[in-house]
Amino acid sequence: MAELFNFINDLIWNSVLIYLLIGTGLWFTLRSGFIQFRHFLHIFSILKGSNQADRAGISPFQALCTTLAARIGCGNLTGVVLALVVGGPGAIVWMWLAAFIGMATAFVESTLAQLYKVRDAQGNFRGGPAWYMEKGLGLRWMGILFSCFLLVGYGGIFNSVQAGAIAQSLQGAFGYKSYQIGLGLVALTALAIFGGVRIIARLSQWIVPAMALLYVILAGWTAAHNIGRLADVAELVFSSAFGLRQAAAGVAGYGISQAIFLGVQRGLFSNEAGMGSAPNIAAAATPWPPHPASQGYIQMLAVFIDTIVICSATAAIILTSGALDQATPPQPGFALIQQSIASVGGAWSTWFMVIIIFIFAFTSIIGNYAYAESSLRFFRRCPRGLIWLFRLLTLTMVMFGCLADMPVLWRLADMAMGLMTLTNLIALLLLSRIALMLARDYNSQRNIGKLPTFYAANFPAIADQLSPGIWDRPAAPK
């Protein structure tokens, strides 16, 4: 079974996806005029009004925190460890590259999700790739296919990976049984997900900023303690990334192809740009300014925080501590991070890392569920009983993750991620003209001092594709 999963993953990633992912990000970057660089500071001006919400949608800040809750998980920890151990220290450079070009992709997919969103039976905003595949492309079958991939990935496999990370850390630190950890985690998860997307958004709004800040402070403290190594680490990272010389950390003989592959793949698993997951929550927001592109900007920031900030923090902890040099062979996953912190912090690092891993992984579980529930509502016949059944299935997969073998879960996660991303990127390329048109409309209004506001009546070519009652404003005055 493991060999079959490896074959499918190699076929998806090595043959198609990694090139399509980089190519799509570069295409959007060039066509948008390097929007992620030129307008980066503008994102923070949008955040000033991002706490506004209404009965139909969550606030943009809640959407940002919910997507960060799903993004910031064990991919930021064990994913970075895997990239550094197998691909070498240079893999972090390719993770940065994947993030920077992925910011443009994140802008496009979240802008489209906002544009094509709908109201569900309760009057709440819903949207995401499945909706823009159906409404923008007229391909409902494609939306169904994507939704199925997402439900399998985020409703099941990815939550199992996060639950497995929690079980692994608690077992190693305190010796709890897997089933004991599973039962406790199922109970906590049930309390969160049975409240629905709005409860998850409110929880994320408070937990995510605090945990991210705490982890960055930890990384800064570790790097400061090893400040004498910073110059050597920087030289090692960039020489390894571009094959200038073989890296000396961990095992000898890192190849540049390994660095690129692991960096891009682990970067995608962490920041999700182009995967089509975050747009499901981006569409649930009431945007401010009232224009689809504003939510695109917000989600660009989420990619930046996830990879450039949090993944870099993990890399800084490991590389500046020298733990990668000392481990022969390198310690797996969390053990290497814990060893890195222990080298400067002592025994308290065990407790601290257990807390960090738990918060990262648990918020990912509830964020992943929010993605999956939103996607489930794409199916027109979605009675309330089906939602409850899906919640029970999610809890089952959380328990399964605590009992299953982690390497198998990672292979399944990579396969689900690849299929989702491949389907979404095709749709994004076909709809790129519309997203870029919205970006121009947003910035043309901003450049003349107006509050960017979307008027569907000014875009008759797409007006009939949009859900009635959402963007129905009169045409803007000439």
Side-chain angles (χ1 to χ4, degrees), residues 42 45-46 49 60 286-295 442 451-454 471 473:
H42 174 62
S45 66
I46 296 176
T286 300
W288 187 261
H291 193 289
S294 65
Q295 192 56 218
Y442 180 96
L451 177 71
T453 304
F454 180 70
W471 302 110
R473 297 184 180 91

Side-chain angles (χ1 to χ4, degrees), residues 250-274:
V251 294
Y254 299 121
I256 186 172
S257 60
Q258 284 182 309
I260 295 173
F261 177 81
L262 266 299
V264 173
Q265 188 188 45
R266 290 301 105 203
L268 174 62
F269 184 84
S270 178
N271 67 52
E272 304 179 9

Side-chain angles (χ1 to χ4, degrees), residues 88-438:
I92 192 65
V93 173
W94 296 103
M95 291 183 77
W96 293 338
L97 178 63
F100 277 122
I101 65 174
M103 288 170 70
T105 307
F107 174 87
V108 170
E109 62 182 356
S110 291
T111 297
L112 290 171
Q114 266 288 319
L115 178 68
Y116 289 109
K117 68 185 178 183
V118 301
R119 293 182 192 269
D120 63 16
Q122 289 74 42
N124 298 316
F125 290 141
R126 299 287 178 185
W131 282 267
Y132 57 67
M133 290 170 189
E134 178 186 32
K135 292 180 172 293
L137 296 176
L139 300 175
R140 180 168 173 79
W141 66 265
M142 190 179 190
I144 292 173
L145 184 65
F146 175 85
S147 295
C148 291
F149 291 148
L150 189 145
L151 289 170
V152 170
Y154 281 88
I157 299 170
F158 294 171
N159 280 341
S160 293
V161 169
Q162 304 294 344
I166 292 174
Q168 189 181 73
S169 66
L170 290 175
Q171 279 182 304
F174 307 113
Y176 292 135
K177 302 291 186 182
S178 296
Y179 76 89
Q180 294 173 325
I181 300 169
L183 291 174
L185 187 56
V186 164
L188 287 175
T189 304
L191 289 175
I193 69 174
F194 278 91
V197 172
R198 287 184 180 272
I199 295 297
I200 292 172
R202 292 192 188 105
L203 284 172
S204 301
Q205 182 178 2
W206 295 102
I207 297 174
V208 171
M211 75 171 183
L213 180 61
L214 187 63
Y215 191 62
V216 170
I217 291 172
L218 172 67
W221 177 73
T222 305
H225 192 275
N226 297 293
I227 195 168
R229 291 177 51 88
L230 289 180
D232 291 338
V233 167
E235 191 275 335
L236 177 65
V237 165
F238 285 99
S239 62
S240 174
F242 299 104
L244 302 179
R245 67 178 178 84
Q246 286 194 341
V251 294
Y254 299 121
I256 186 172
S257 60
Q258 284 182 309
I260 295 173
F261 177 81
L262 266 299
V264 173
Q265 188 188 45
R266 290 301 105 203
L268 174 62
F269 184 84
S270 178
N271 67 52
E272 304 179 9
M275 196 188 301
S277 50
N280 290 276
I281 297 302
T286 300
W288 187 261
H291 193 289
S294 65
Q295 192 56 218
Y297 280 110
I298 290 286
Q299 293 304 319
M300 282 203 304
L301 180 62
V303 173
F304 181 88
I305 292 173
D306 174 88
T307 305
I308 307 302
V309 177
I310 304 298
C311 287
S312 297
T314 301
I317 289 171
I318 295 170
L319 295 176
T320 60
S321 71
L324 197 62
D325 301 322
Q326 300 164 10
T328 310
Q331 294 290 318
F334 304 118
L336 184 60
I337 305 173
Q338 197 165 326
Q339 178 186 339
S340 302
I341 299 173
S343 67
V344 297
W348 65 267
S349 62
T350 298
W351 289 80
F352 188 84
M353 276 309 300
V354 168
I355 294 171
I356 287 291
I357 291 165
F358 178 84
I359 295 174
F360 275 25
F362 180 70
T363 54
S364 285
I365 288 172
I366 62 176
N368 290 346
Y369 171 79
Y371 289 166
E373 182 184 302
S374 181
S375 187
L376 185 63
R377 294 179 186 274
F378 176 71
F379 299 97
R380 293 194 177 106
R381 296 182 180 276
C382 185
R384 186 168 181 80
L386 182 59
I387 297 292
W388 281 74
L389 180 62
F390 185 72
R391 289 169 179 170
L392 293 175
L393 178 61
T394 299
L395 297 177
T396 301
M397 293 304 296
V398 167
M399 188 68 186
F400 174 74
C402 293
L403 304 175
D405 184 36
M406 284 293 286
V408 173
L409 292 177
W410 275 107
R411 293 187 188 100
L412 286 169
D414 285 340
M415 186 167 64
M417 177 175 65
L419 293 170
M420 276 181 59
T421 307
L422 184 61
T423 308
N424 186 52
L425 289 178
I426 293 171
L428 292 181
L429 289 169
L430 294 173
L431 291 168
S432 61
R433 177 183 60 84
I434 295 174
L436 295 171
M437 177 180 67
L438 293 178

